[in-house]
């Protein structure tokens, strides 16, 4: 019976060890559960160490983003203010430039109209169509009884000059071509006075404007091209074409930057002559 007793003791010992293992495992589970419950309670109270550590890190990131956003806002505000000041100065400068240009254009236009009026006046004086009516000295004779009653002369009515500048210059050229024949005037006549030689007719130039470019004397000229402008009095001006219009061009003198308007008619009749020059 002794061997059986030993087997029974070993069985009881193994069972006792198994019960101890289960009890230890249960104790570990309860301890782990209690730890988790404690951590959950600390988390709800905000005292959990891991929670505080992560909250601190999030707070640092939050403050850093706020600081970066404030710096970015400040930078953008300064950039907008600089752009505003720059655009404002540019607008004021453009306004002043346009105002000066408008004034110069109006002055040049008025000067051109003034010259045209003076040319018309000179033309009228040359052709003898003066508006002034001079009194005619006549001798009054006694009227015979059977003579009809003389009809008084009516005053000469003023003429309306509706000719264009080009038509007037064409008439002048025609008059210059006509000269008085010496045979029509008697040499013995007391009123015979040698006449001055007539001027040669004005040279004609081909000038027209197409597609914003000037075609003059078999050459094309465009905006911003450097040229020489020669007038009838042999004055030579260095200038640049600033604008090509529909019936005229504007040039800017390189000496004082003043502008002049030149009509196609003036170029065609040779009042102004254009020569090319190399740009400086």
């Amino acid at each position: 019976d002794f061997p059986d007793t030993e087997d029974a003791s070993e069985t009881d010992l193994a069972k006792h060890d198994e019960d101890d293992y289960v009890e230890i495992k249960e104790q570990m589970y309860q301890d782990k559960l209690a730890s988790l419950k404690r951590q959950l309670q600390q988390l709800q109270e905000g005292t959990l160490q891991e929670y505080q550590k992560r909250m601190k890190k999030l707070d640092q990131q939050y403050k850093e983003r706020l600081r970066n956003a404030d710096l970015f806002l400040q930078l953008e505000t300064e950039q907008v203010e600089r752009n505003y000041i720059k655009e404002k100065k540019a607008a004021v400068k453009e306004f002043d430039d346009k105002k000066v240009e408008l004034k110069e254009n109006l002055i040049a236009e008025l000067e051109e109209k003034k010259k045209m009026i003076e040319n018309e006046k000179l033309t009228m004086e040359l052709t003898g169509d003066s508006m002034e009516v001079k009194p005619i000295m006549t001798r009054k004779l006694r009227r015979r009884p059977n003579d009809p009653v003389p009809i008084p002369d009516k005053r000469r009515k003023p003429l309306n000059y509706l000719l264009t500048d080009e038509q007037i210059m064409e008439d002048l050229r025609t008059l210059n071509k006509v000269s008085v024949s010496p045979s029509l005037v008697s040499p013995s006549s007391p009123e015979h006075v040698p006449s001055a030689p007539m001027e040669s007719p004005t040279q004609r130039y081909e000038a027209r404007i197409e597609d914003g470019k000037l075609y003059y004397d078999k050459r094309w000229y465009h905006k911003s091209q450097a040229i020489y402008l020669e007038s009838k009095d042999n004055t030579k001006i260095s200038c640049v074409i600033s604008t090509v219009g529909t019936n005229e061009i504007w040039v800017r003198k390189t000496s004082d930057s003043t502008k002049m308007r030149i009509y196609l008619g003036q170029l065609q009749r040779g009042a102004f002559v254009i020569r090319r020059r190399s740009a400086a």
Side-chain angles (χ1 to χ4, degrees), residues 161-252:
Y161 296 95
L162 302 180
L163 296 177
T164 63
D165 185 44
E166 179 63 24
Q167 291 172 334
I168 292 173
M169 296 307 297
E170 187 67 27
D171 293 341
L172 285 177
R173 285 191 292 270
T174 303
L175 290 174
N176 289 334
K177 292 178 182 179
V178 179
S179 60
V180 180
S181 175
S183 60
L184 297 179
V185 181
S186 175
S188 60
S189 174
E191 297 179 358
H192 173 69
V193 180
S195 58
M198 302 296 290
E199 295 181 358
S200 60
T202 307
Q203 184 179 357
R204 297 288 295 175
Y205 293 88
E206 182 180 3
R208 66 178 185 272
I209 293 177
E210 294 181 3
D211 301 328
K213 294 187 295 183
L214 170 66
Y215 181 79
Y216 172 76
D217 196 20
K218 301 180 181 180
R219 291 177 180 267
W220 286 99
Y221 297 85
H222 55 81
K223 181 181 178 181
S224 303
Q225 184 168 355
I227 61 170
Y228 286 115
L229 187 66
E230 300 179 2
S231 58
K232 285 185 176 181
D233 56 357
N234 296 326
T235 302
K236 189 174 183 181
I237 304 173
S238 174
C239 52
V240 176
I241 299 177
S242 60
T243 306
V244 179
T246 56
N247 195 34
E248 76 285 339
I249 64 170
W250 285 89
V251 297
R252 186 181 70 253

Side-chain angles (χ1 to χ4, degrees), residues 116-129:
M116 290 178 63
I117 293 174
E118 292 176 352
N119 290 336
E120 290 179 0
K121 181 180 178 182
L122 178 61
T123 303
M124 287 187 293
E125 292 177 354
L126 291 175
T127 56
D129 293 333

Side-chain angles (χ1 to χ4, degrees), residues 141-154:
L141 302 176
R142 287 183 300 173
R143 185 174 60 87
R144 296 178 181 179
N146 296 329
D147 289 343
V149 178
I151 301 175
D153 293 336
K154 295 182 180 180

Side-chain angles (χ1 to χ4, degrees), residues 45-57:
E45 294 175 353
T47 58
L48 185 64
Q49 184 177 4
E50 183 66 19
Y51 170 75
Q52 291 178 346
K53 181 178 179 181
R54 294 190 180 185
M55 280 298 296
K56 185 177 180 180
K57 184 176 181 180

